[in-house]
Amino acid sequence: MDGIEDAAGRTNPENQRARKKLYERMRRHNLAPLWEVLHDILRPAPASPCAPALWRYTEMRPYLLEAGNTNSAAEAQRRVLVLENPQLPGQSRITRSLYAGLQIVMPGEIAPAHRHVAAALRLIVEGAPGAYTAVDGERTAMASGDFIITPSWTWHDHGNESDRPVVWLDGLDLHIVNLFEAGFYEQWPEERYPTTRPAGSCLAEIGAGLLPVDDGGGGHTSLLLSYPYARSREALDSLARHQAPDECHGFKMKFLNPLNGGWALPTIATCMQLLPKGFHSVPYRSTAATVFAVVEGSGSTLVGAERLDWQRHDVLVVPSWVPHEHIAATEAVVFSFSDRAAQERLAIYREQRGPRRS
Ligand code: GTQ
């Protein structure tokens, strides 16, 4: 707003001109008046520019396959369709802080080895025996529903030795890294980073809440890279047998770093939740805009004034501080990620549960 109001609430044109002149002189010294912008930069509550949005897998898959037949993974480096928030086109953002994309690797292909400071997560949408991601020399199998991490600055390549395309959802914290201008990126000189450990080593070493007795100090064995879906599903089922659903989340569990009890990744919070058939959650909002990816089942999410109807493999995004509620048409399992982990580390995270809409 340009108009500065005087004490009587009217705009005084003479005063306005004087202020404009003052601002112009200050501008030459790289100074600006806070009072003109204060209410834009310090808001009573978050007012996200992001829109709630839904990406239907049935609509995305044909484009992915077409891309798969148009260029090679080697040429593309990463053959990914970026899920862009409709209110932030051209910015590779699904929320202001998060990147999401659907990646496809065709049979026989390798997405070549590189590393970056940005950490990545993968939710496998169409896995196959013979599909893998390799992280610092250790291969991890990619089966549907598996949750896999690529920690910051680890070498990684993806391969598909099966006879069908493999697809997964990528989530990266690259906008957070770029905000801090802390990003580095390197390509490995060959397609593959050398294999240094047997496939599945990390699951064998720390995947059962146990740790080889003298391994405690970190390094390679401090990283659990894979959270296979069969185990996540079993954990959700057992929880559902032992307690009542949370009124906002159903049965929602977070993926842990078993060595410190915190989130699996330091910046991105990741969860898997089970919504019983017919479950209708109490409205919930948090300062962490959240990406949901449907692993099983179908239902709807009411976000502000919108209703997003989802099915298996669909992806949806809920902006910061917008109340939302989930309705499960069938029993459903939903993966989600957000920047909550980063916000908790910065001690700025807030959430609000309820009240139920009448
Ligand atoms: O697989 O390393 O979706 O570097 C975007 C950037 C995936 C990856 C993306 C990447 C990757």
Side-chain angles (χ1 to χ4, degrees):
M1 194 179 79
D2 236 20
I4 307 294
E5 312 233 306
D6 64 18
R10 291 180 307 261
T11 303
N12 173 338
E14 203 173 308
N15 185 309
Q16 280 289 74
R17 273 193 298 277
R19 283 176 193 235
K20 204 166 163 240
K21 286 235 160 74
L22 170 64
Y23 299 169
E24 278 164 12
R25 281 187 289 129
M26 293 195 304
R27 180 79 200 90
R28 292 201 282 274
H29 299 275
N30 301 314
L31 294 168
L34 172 63
W35 56 89
E36 293 285 348
V37 296
L38 184 69
H39 298 294
D40 292 334
I41 59 179
L42 287 172
R43 293 179 169 277
S48 174
C50 296
L54 172 76
W55 288 263
R56 288 189 185 86
Y57 194 64
T58 51
E59 290 173 2
M60 296 190 284
R61 193 176 190 276
Y63 288 113
L64 265 178
L65 288 175
E66 204 176 322
N69 293 318
T70 302
N71 61 8
S72 68
E75 179 204 334
Q77 272 280 323
R78 296 293 184 266
R79 195 194 295 100
V80 178
L81 300 187
V82 180
L83 278 58
E84 291 200 322
N85 192 281
Q87 291 299 323
L88 304 171
Q91 298 184 33
S92 304
R93 294 176 203 267
I94 191 159
T95 71
R96 286 269 290 238
S97 66
L98 293 172
Y99 162 101
L102 267 191
Q103 182 160 173
I104 184 166
V105 179
M106 301 298 276
E109 280 190 332
I110 294 173
H114 69 195
R115 64 176 174 176
H116 32 72
V117 168
L121 66 87
R122 334 270 174 198
L123 174 75
I124 313 309
V125 176
E126 293 186 49
Y132 65 89
T133 183
V135 172
D136 274 353
E138 178 182 331
R139 280 189 186 192
T140 294
M142 290 176 137
S144 303
D146 290 357
F147 163 63
I148 295 171
I149 61 170
T150 307
S152 174
W153 206 237
T154 52
W155 291 106
H156 55 285
D157 47 84
H158 316 298
N160 180 1
E161 295 173 353
S162 83
D163 56 7
R164 53 181 196 261
V166 165
V167 177
W168 64 87
L169 178 71
D170 284 320
L172 277 83
D173 63 1
L174 59 89
H175 296 301
I176 299 175
V177 173
N178 290 345
L179 171 69
F180 291 113
E181 298 180 341
F184 294 84
Y185 170 90
E186 279 181 356
Q187 244 168 279
W188 184 253
E190 284 143 57
E191 236 180 4
R192 287 184 188 161
Y193 186 80
T195 299
T196 56
R197 289 160 40 94
S201 292
C202 64
L203 271 172
E205 286 165 0
I206 60 173
L210 292 160
L211 184 69
V213 67
D214 289 323
D215 272 6
H220 219 121
T221 51
S222 71
L223 304 169
L224 181 59
L225 302 172
S226 171
Y227 301 74
Y229 187 58
R231 297 185 184 191
S232 309
R233 190 69 167 91
E234 171 54 28
L236 290 170
D237 282 340
S238 324
L239 191 69
R241 283 194 297 270
H242 283 86
Q243 53 176 245
D246 176 273
E247 59 177 9
C248 292
H249 303 304
F251 301 98
K252 187 168 184 177
M253 300 180 94
K254 62 194 223 178
F255 289 102
L256 291 182
N257 172 344
L259 288 191
N260 64 14
W263 298 100
L265 290 168
T267 49
I268 309 181
T270 47
C271 293
M272 194 74 90
Q273 76 198 94
L274 175 71
L275 305 173
K277 179 179 158 93
F279 181 76
H280 187 150
S281 68
V282 166
Y284 170 83
R285 64 178 170 176
S286 86
T287 51
T290 303
V291 178
F292 294 93
V294 183
V295 181
E296 289 183 43
S298 61
S300 310
T301 298
L302 311 180
V303 199
E306 286 200 46
R307 175 187 160 143
L308 306 174
D309 293 321
W310 41 260
Q311 294 185 342
R312 195 164 77 112
H313 300 335
D314 290 352
V315 178
L316 54 148
V317 64
V318 173
S320 170
W321 213 238
V322 180
H324 54 281
E325 44 199 287
H326 302 299
I327 303 163
T330 67
E331 178 181 72
V333 179
V334 181
F335 171 81
S336 58
F337 69 97
S338 77
D339 63 14
R340 174 176 176 170
Q343 290 195 32
E344 286 180 351
R345 279 186 149 70
L346 299 174
I348 59 172
Y349 177 74
R350 286 200 203 187
E351 62 179 14
Q352 185 183 30
R353 299 168 61 92
R356 193 180 275 285
R357 284 206 264 209
S358 49

